[in-house]
Amino acid sequence: MSKGPGLFSDIGKKAKDLLTKDYNSDQKFTVSTYSDAGVALTSTAVKKGGLSTGDIVTQYKYKNTVVDVKVDTESNIATTFTINEIVPSTKTIASFKVPDYNSGKLEVQYFHDHATFTTAIALNQSPAIDFSATIGTPTIAFGAEGGYDTTSGNFTKYTAGISVNKPDQSASIILGDKGDSIRASYVHFLDVLKRTAAVGEITRKFSTNENTFTVGGSYAIDLLTVVKAKLNNHGKLGALLQHEVIPKSLLTISGEIDTKALDKNPRFGVAIALKP
């Protein structure tokens, strides 16, 4: 694949990951194993309140093909095929779920040194079509995405964005919700490994005149331990501690508290991911 501007979904992703990734208020346990033949098996159990759920994911890699099969406790089976380079500079993704036979989806991604395009179509009698395009370079990129419902003949979504990336910083602006919201974010990395960083994000929803401002960051205590925290202007405070117990095996403890609520009982989650 080319080293072009990336997908539209990459715009603002660095800030989003810093503010949302690994934050968890539930009890979660994950075990992953890998074989030399290219097979990976991941088992996940989650306890949220009094409800427990789980799933098993199997991934098989062979040359330019990846097959993922996920089975959950609701007896749903989701299968995804990812094939690289059927046509040069493309990635093809086909997915479907059983017993929901109308959930099938086919996506094609095309990568160029100065542009990327994606098209995804639902595999049913009344298909919805999603598409996106990004132009630029790894340093600066402009993009847009849209969704079209062939049954109603209406656009279900349209979004536009711009991102500017440098080795130690990244900024983005996204106009979304059919023009009803705008989100601007900025990330500054403070170390070479990009494990210590500061992030700020502001979102405005025009229809409700609501503004949300969030600041956060991550700090690498050492090579094995990272702490993250975030706080928004509505008083929601989140924090997590992540430690690599053994190589590729992570223990994550996170919590969230509403500092403005009368009932300030915090919610805590524990996530353990073992990957030998």
Side-chain angles (χ1 to χ4, degrees), residues 21-267:
K21 188 178 180 181
D22 296 324
Y23 282 96
N24 178 53
S25 59
D26 307 317
Q27 297 177 14
K28 183 178 181 180
F29 183 75
T30 302
V31 178
S32 299
T33 59
Y34 301 87
S35 73
D36 295 335
V39 178
L41 181 65
T42 302
S43 301
T44 302
V46 179
K47 184 176 181 180
K48 185 174 183 179
L51 181 64
S52 297
T53 60
D55 59 62
I56 297 177
V57 179
T58 302
Q59 184 181 85
Y60 176 68
K61 297 180 180 180
Y62 179 73
K63 294 184 178 180
N64 64 339
T65 303
V66 179
V67 181
D68 294 273
V69 179
K70 178 179 178 180
V71 182
D72 62 26
T73 52
E74 301 296 325
S75 299
N76 296 310
I77 303 174
T79 304
T80 303
F81 295 89
T82 303
I83 306 175
N84 293 308
E85 305 285 347
I86 292 182
V87 177
S89 300
T90 65
K91 177 186 289 186
T92 304
I93 304 171
S95 62
F96 60 90
K97 183 184 292 185
V98 177
D100 184 7
Y101 298 99
N102 291 321
S103 62
K105 186 177 182 180
L106 178 64
E107 179 178 357
V108 177
Q109 302 173 352
Y110 173 74
F111 299 85
H112 185 270
D113 288 341
H114 299 292
T116 60
F117 304 93
T118 70
T119 301
I121 183 170
L123 303 178
N124 52 50
Q125 293 181 347
S126 303
I129 302 174
D130 294 330
F131 48 87
S132 70
T134 309
I135 59 173
T137 67
T139 302
I140 183 170
F142 305 84
E145 69 172 356
Y148 181 75
D149 188 337
T150 58
T151 302
S152 63
N154 297 322
F155 283 95
T156 57
K157 65 177 180 180
Y158 37 86
T159 307
I162 178 176
S163 67
V164 178
N165 300 292
K166 294 184 178 181
D168 62 344
Q169 54 191 293
S170 176
S172 66
I173 299 176
I174 298 176
L175 182 66
D177 298 323
K178 298 182 179 181
D180 187 46
S181 69
I182 187 169
R183 182 173 78 249
S185 63
Y186 174 77
V187 179
H188 191 88
F189 296 101
L190 304 175
D191 65 347
V192 177
L193 297 177
K194 297 184 177 181
R195 299 175 74 233
T196 298
V199 58
E201 180 183 88
I202 184 169
T203 302
R204 176 171 177 81
K205 195 168 183 63
F206 298 111
S207 60
T208 60
N209 290 323
E210 180 183 3
N211 296 317
T212 301
F213 180 65
T214 308
V215 294
S218 65
Y219 175 71
I221 298 176
D222 52 41
L223 293 177
L224 303 177
T225 309
V226 174
V227 293
K228 294 173 64 177
K230 61 179 179 178
L231 174 67
N232 66 23
N233 60 311
H234 301 299
K236 294 292 182 65
L237 174 65
L240 71 80
L241 170 69
Q242 190 170 76
H243 180 71
E244 188 173 11
V245 183
I246 58 177
K248 296 184 179 180
S249 297
L250 302 176
L251 169 64
T252 303
I253 302 174
S254 64
E256 182 181 276
I257 184 173
D258 188 347
T259 61
K260 293 185 178 181
L262 295 176
D263 181 7
K264 295 185 179 180
N265 292 328
R267 296 189 302 164

